[in-house]
Amino acid sequence: MRYLIIGLLLLTTCCWSQDADQQQIDKIFAKALNEGKSYQWLDYLSNRIGGRLSGSVQAEQAVKYTKAQMDSLGFDRVWLQPVMVPKWVRGTPEFAYIESKPGITNNVPITALGGSVPTPAGGIKANVVEVHQMEELEKLGRDGIAGKIVFFNRPMKADLINTFEAYSGAVEQRYKGAMEAAKYGAVGVIVRSLTLRQDNLPHTGYMTYGDLPEYQRIPAAAISTNGAELLSTTLKLNPAIRFYFKQNCKMLGEVESYNVIGEISGETHPDEILVVGGHLDSWDLGDGAHDDGAGCVQSMEALRLLQATNYKPQRTIRVVLFMSEEIGIWGGKKYAEVAKAKNEEHIFALESDAGAFTPRGFSFDCSQANLERVLNWKPFFQPYLIHSFIAGGSGADIGPLKDDSIVLAGLRPDSQRYFDHHHAENDTFEHINRRELELGAAAMSSLLYLFDKYGIVPNTKG
Ligand SMILES: [Zn+2]
């Protein structure tokens, strides 16, 4: 009897209706590549609306546009979920130069970090101290830092194949560099742009002051990698050089915005919810095509492809376009808070927020039992070369949904070019390849299909 039960269990866990599933997945890919909608949606978001800073007019235009598109797709329900978001504005273009001797200057490209305070109206000019590790601040102490600009110049590591790992290893300089340097009396912070490319584009991104009182907050900006090399070399020749920068960005407080949500109800298990999403806000330097307009249109397309292939979901599948990820994941936190308050049962969430480059596979943040099962699905994706299935992170917006039972996943495109564009003025629509975008959407739709059809392995520990 025991062997019979084990045998039956094996049958149900490892033998998918393989032919039918492969056929459905092939249909999804064919639809995406032959008559996909994601590229034209992204064209509108990028070229007609443009950069979508949280709280900006463009962000609201993007809310209206994507809601209207979802309305036209005939989902069962489309709605806006209110969320308060921070509104930070960049102001007039930033300006900076290295002054090697009084009157002898070299302009360098900088951009204010998101959330930074402005410089005084006339700018800041001060001596510079270069550091690579946070711990160096403590060693330098007040004597070495007070009255100076701290220049964080640790490059992303070039020998990591997953460039997101290299980013993680360097991003603390941008995120908390100003907060830490201010504690030692620094007057400003300049951070090497987080990219592996050597060029003239500064890359912005979010930073925090933590609990620092307002009077202690110092302005922070990113400098292009070429600018960082120039500054570092000049400093080595003459440590007495001075750096000047001026920016008039400011935080204006909170305004109301929205997560945009659409869903198709499940036929047999409507209470079990699957989410697919990306974030609708972006930085303002480019048009936010890769980060994360692509993830938004791929998510809408993932749901549309299920409809277009006449698939009737058993569970409820929801697309969520999250607001204000870049400035602190406000939309993602709100969505999880409302889901919890309503006692909704989320079993699976998938995010695309790693650019629209050639999709390679997915990373999964889930129990071992679910991971083992999902690895059995790899062959369905092999014909499309999207079968790198690994354990790992998912996405910032769906992170707040994490609990003991949910399966979280992230689309993993090739990451080699992502940080060439990330948060910089060249994150634009012309750097999107239509087929790569569509393949990502099809892969996401296929994964949703499998999780909808088979559900997840329940957590037996609880
Ligand atoms: Zn993003």
Side-chain angles (χ1 to χ4, degrees):
M1 186 62 188
R2 219 174 70 192
Y3 293 108
L4 181 66
I5 292 172
I6 291 170
L8 280 173
L9 270 175
L10 281 175
L11 263 180
T12 51
T13 53
C14 75
C15 300
W16 319 104
S17 46
Q18 283 183 353
D19 289 349
D21 289 340
Q22 189 71 62
Q23 272 172 22
Q24 169 61 22
I25 287 168
D26 291 346
K27 268 204 276 179
I28 289 173
F29 274 87
K31 272 273 179 230
L33 294 168
N34 284 325
E35 46 196 86
K37 288 270 204 284
S38 55
Y39 193 70
Q40 75 186 56
W41 287 331
L42 189 56
D43 186 4
Y44 194 100
L45 269 183
S46 309
N47 289 323
R48 299 286 293 275
I49 296 176
R52 303 169 294 281
L53 263 188
S54 161
S56 67
V57 173
Q58 291 90 337
E60 295 322 295
Q61 287 177 310
V63 165
K64 281 207 182 83
Y65 172 68
T66 49
K67 178 170 185 297
Q69 294 308 307
M70 285 197 217
D71 280 334
S72 74
L73 291 175
F75 295 161
D76 292 324
R77 239 181 115 213
V78 177
W79 72 101
L80 299 181
Q81 179 176 69
V83 52
M84 295 304 289
V85 300
K87 183 178 172 77
W88 175 85
V89 293
R90 182 172 299 283
T92 51
E94 303 83 343
F95 179 63
Y97 59 76
I98 299 166
E99 186 184 73
S100 33
K101 282 188 188 139
I104 300 186
T105 59
N106 263 309
N107 292 358
V108 282
I110 64 156
T111 187
L113 294 184
S116 175
V117 296
T119 57
I124 288 175
K125 196 195 283 187
N127 290 120
V128 179
V129 56
E130 177 177 339
V131 300
H132 291 84
Q133 305 296 334
M134 285 293 161
E135 303 80 68
E136 288 170 55
L137 295 177
E138 202 184 331
K139 279 188 209 134
L140 285 161
R142 229 167 209 286
D143 287 353
I145 294 174
K148 292 183 183 166
I149 291 168
V150 173
F151 168 37
F152 289 93
N153 192 28
R154 179 162 93 241
M156 281 169 61
K157 286 187 75 179
D159 55 353
L160 294 168
I161 289 308
N162 178 355
T163 61
F164 283 85
E165 268 176 52
Y167 178 71
S168 300
V171 72
E172 64 170 357
Q173 304 172 96
R174 188 194 79 205
Y175 185 64
K176 60 178 190 180
M179 173 175 80
E180 297 302 329
K183 293 174 187 167
Y184 297 97
V187 293
V189 154
I190 296 293
V191 183
R192 181 189 183 97
S193 282
L194 296 175
T195 175
L196 287 152
R197 210 164 82 151
Q198 208 54 55
D199 64 16
N200 294 318
L201 302 179
H203 296 233
T204 191
Y206 185 51
M207 50 88 66
T208 182
Y209 293 109
D211 297 330
L212 271 191
E214 250 166 68
Y215 70 90
Q216 274 189 18
R217 298 180 179 189
I218 57 173
I223 186 169
S224 72
T225 45
N226 279 347
E229 291 298 313
L230 182 66
L231 178 56
S232 183
T233 309
T234 314
L235 266 175
K236 281 188 191 88
L237 293 171
N238 178 9
I241 59 130
R242 301 211 288 170
F243 190 88
Y244 171 86
F245 76 115
K246 182 174 182 247
Q247 58 192 30
N248 69 351
C249 49
K250 47 173 143 345
M251 188 61 90
L252 298 177
E254 293 176 19
V255 297
E256 189 174 60
S257 186
Y258 305 93
N259 292 327
V260 184
I261 307 177
E263 71 178 23
I264 302 177
S265 304
E267 292 204 329
T268 51
H269 303 89
D271 294 340
E272 291 186 17
I273 299 169
L274 290 78
V275 161
V276 59
H279 63 84
L280 200 47
D281 67 309
S282 77
W283 288 105
D284 55 328
L285 301 176
D287 60 35
H290 276 292
D291 186 11
D292 183 26
C296 292
V297 298
Q298 285 175 323
S299 299
M300 288 161 60
E301 177 74 343
L303 199 49
R304 189 195 71 84
L305 289 169
L306 293 179
Q307 284 182 319
T309 51
N310 298 319
Y311 178 69
K312 299 266 175 278
Q314 298 186 26
R315 296 165 166 86
T316 294
I317 309 186
R318 206 177 261 179
V319 46
V320 185
L321 309 183
F322 299 93
M323 187 48 75
S324 203
E325 185 269 352
E326 297 290 5
I327 308 208
I329 320 177
W330 292 57
K333 288 174 186 161
K334 173 56 92 179
Y335 180 80
E337 181 192 309
V338 172
K340 201 170 173 199
K342 289 188 172 168
N343 236 335
E344 288 179 341
E345 188 188 359
H346 284 70
I347 63 161
F348 175 63
L350 167 63
E351 181 155 1
S352 166
D353 184 18
F357 300 99
T358 309
R360 300 285 198 208
F362 295 96
S363 54
F364 296 92
D365 179 2
C366 61
S367 69
Q368 191 58 30
N370 275 298
L371 183 65
E372 279 165 21
R373 199 172 63 153
V374 86
L375 292 178
N376 291 324
W377 294 341
K378 273 170 66 166
F380 296 132
F381 295 82
Q382 201 137 12
Y384 304 100
L385 305 177
I386 311 179
H387 56 289
S388 166
F389 284 22
I390 53 168
S394 54
D397 297 290
I398 58 174
L401 289 170
K402 189 171 167 68
D403 63 23
D404 289 343
S405 55
I406 193 168
V407 175
L408 299 176
L411 178 72
R412 293 291 151 226
D414 185 277
S415 72
Q416 302 316 315
R417 286 170 290 156
Y418 185 57
F419 290 96
D420 294 358
H421 304 271
H422 185 247
H423 299 180
E425 70 176 45
N426 63 343
D427 178 1
T428 50
F429 185 70
E430 65 262 31
H431 295 290
I432 298 284
N433 175 281
R434 178 171 190 147
R435 288 178 66 81
E436 289 176 326
L437 180 75
E438 291 171 346
L439 285 168
M444 291 162 72
S445 189
S446 302
L447 191 65
L448 279 175
Y449 158 76
L450 290 167
F451 273 103
D452 177 67
K453 187 163 170 190
Y454 297 107
I456 59 170
V457 182
N459 174 21
T460 46
K461 272 182 276 168

